[in-house]
Amino acid sequence: MPPANVNPLHPGAISDVRGISVGHHTLHERPTGCSVVLAEAGAVGGVDVRGAAPGTRETDLLNPANLVGVVHAVLLSGGSAWGLDAAAGVMRWLDGRGIGLPVGTAPGQRVPIVPAAVLFDLHVGDARIRPGADAGWAACEDAAHAGTGAALAQGNIGAGAGASVGKLFGMAHAMKGGIGTASITLQGVTVGALIAVNALGDVVDSGTGQPIAGARTADGQALRGSVAAVLSGQAPQAILAGTNTTIGVIATDATLTKAQCQRLAGAGHDGLARAIRPVHTMSDGDTLFALATGQAGALDFNTLCILAAEVTARASANAVRAASALRVGDLWLPAARDLAG
């Protein structure tokens, strides 16, 4: 498995948020895996689903109108809908530590709340191999070992292990995606993001507008520019719905309500729109969660939304900049660093 990169262009990590720790587990049988964002003391949660083909778990309970107000972890996984099984391992790990929503007074009467989202990576290697409960457990163990504030590996690891980008003109012209993170601290409050980028579209630097990774030209040596190519009359290849998807978590240590967390997740999609072109397509299930641990002071909510969009865009760029090239059988997915020379 190619090594993960821990030296992104944009510094910081979601684990800089107080009350948040992150772990990855990567399967060695084929490039796939899962990543977990732990909030063991509990966090208020929200979600915003913008893609047309999502694979999710426990998202309805995050609706501000619904009862449950606390989240203990969020799982991001490869393996398409099969990968949702990994959330059971996260629940088991939390339950073993007495963490969960109390549902009675007797021992064991608690339910860990673990929303999840998955991306499609079944076309990279043997599709019969996908993350399950053991992988979710292992990701939690990794998070517990790393702890809050730990440096996070990025690129070909966890939920980003089998990710790819730039598939509008077919897998033969695609490039390696990955998982990335970033954070910003302002007036004592931190906002961070962890984003697994497996997009149909290209990834660009939101600051410069320059492409980083995406659909390649016919000779494979340069970036095609998916949106520009379509506007020039090039026809996209027919893509099975749901075979892509960018998923992620935005976390802050500010104190927020469920409704505000939902809005924060929505602001994160502004960052995806800056970094991925096209985004939110019929073939993507783009889903972002938001968590608020409440362990820091207050910050203007509009400012928090600005930070959420910015760290999401930065983390998306880090995901492909940190990725390494991948070859599985006849499939070759070069990384951004390869085309950069």
Side-chain angles (χ1 to χ4, degrees), residues 123-151:
H123 46 4
V124 181
D126 187 344
R128 296 170 296 181
I129 300 169
R130 51 252 177 174
D134 289 345
W137 175 284
C140 291
E141 286 287 289
D142 183 57
H145 183 266
T148 300

Side-chain angles (χ1 to χ4, degrees), residues 179-207:
I179 193 166
T181 189
S183 70
I184 300 173
T185 300
L186 190 63
Q187 299 176 27
V189 173
T190 300
V191 179
L194 180 73
I195 309 294
V197 182
N198 186 57
L200 179 70
D202 303 341
V203 180
V204 304
D205 185 308
S206 63

Side-chain angles (χ1 to χ4, degrees), residues 191-259:
V191 179
L194 180 73
I195 309 294
V197 182
N198 186 57
L200 179 70
D202 303 341
V203 180
V204 304
D205 185 308
S206 63
T208 66
Q210 294 300 307
I212 305 171
R216 291 174 290 138
T217 52
D219 63 6
Q221 301 303 306
L223 292 172
R224 183 188 304 237
S226 291
V227 172
V230 170
L231 293 177
S232 71
Q234 296 182 42
Q237 179 174 307
I239 301 292
L240 178 65
T243 53
N244 303 282
T245 299
T246 296
I247 53 178
V249 181
I250 300 159
T252 180
D253 38 30
T255 299
L256 299 178
T257 65
K258 284 181 74 175

Side-chain angles (χ1 to χ4, degrees), residues 36-339:
V36 66
V37 177
L38 291 179
E40 296 183 53
V44 179
V47 67
D48 192 322
V49 180
R50 298 282 178 96
T56 58
R57 174 187 186 275
E58 297 279 42
T59 52
D60 283 350
L61 64 80
L62 298 177
N63 187 312
N66 292 338
L67 177 64
V68 175
V70 65
V71 170
H72 303 103
V74 174
L75 174 81
L76 308 176
S77 183
S80 189
W82 296 102
L84 293 172
D85 283 351
V90 179
M91 289 186 68
R92 184 158 44 89
W93 188 90
L94 290 166
D95 184 54
R97 284 151 183 78
I99 298 169
L101 180 71
V103 292
T105 57
Q109 291 184 326
R110 57 182 168 264
V111 179
I113 304 302
V114 185
V118 295
L119 56 80
F120 186 97
D121 59 9
L122 298 180
H123 46 4
V124 181
D126 187 344
R128 296 170 296 181
I129 300 169
R130 51 252 177 174
D134 289 345
W137 175 284
C140 291
E141 286 287 289
D142 183 57
H145 183 266
T148 300
L152 294 183
Q154 302 179 81
N156 299 24
I157 193 168
S164 53
V165 299
K167 292 163 277 189
L168 200 63
F169 300 96
M171 284 297 293
H173 303 287
M175 292 179 65
K176 186 68 182 72
I179 193 166
T181 189
S183 70
I184 300 173
T185 300
L186 190 63
Q187 299 176 27
V189 173
T190 300
V191 179
L194 180 73
I195 309 294
V197 182
N198 186 57
L200 179 70
D202 303 341
V203 180
V204 304
D205 185 308
S206 63
T208 66
Q210 294 300 307
I212 305 171
R216 291 174 290 138
T217 52
D219 63 6
Q221 301 303 306
L223 292 172
R224 183 188 304 237
S226 291
V227 172
V230 170
L231 293 177
S232 71
Q234 296 182 42
Q237 179 174 307
I239 301 292
L240 178 65
T243 53
N244 303 282
T245 299
T246 296
I247 53 178
V249 181
I250 300 159
T252 180
D253 38 30
T255 299
L256 299 178
T257 65
K258 284 181 74 175
Q260 288 175 318
C261 281
Q262 186 181 61
R263 295 295 298 178
L264 197 71
H269 280 284
D270 295 343
L272 283 191
R274 295 176 199 165
I276 300 173
R277 302 176 186 172
V279 72
H280 304 145
T281 74
M282 293 299 293
S283 296
D284 289 283
D286 301 334
T287 299
L288 293 179
F289 297 94
L291 299 176
T293 66
Q295 296 188 18
L299 188 64
D300 171 71
F301 186 66
N302 284 334
T303 301
L304 285 172
C305 289
I306 291 169
L307 297 183
E310 183 63 24
V311 295
T312 299
R314 292 183 181 188
S316 299
N318 285 344
V320 293
R321 284 195 168 107
S324 300
L326 180 67
R327 185 180 294 279
V328 180
D330 295 331
L331 177 64
W332 167 245
L333 296 171
R337 64 181 76 173
D338 301 313
L339 263 64

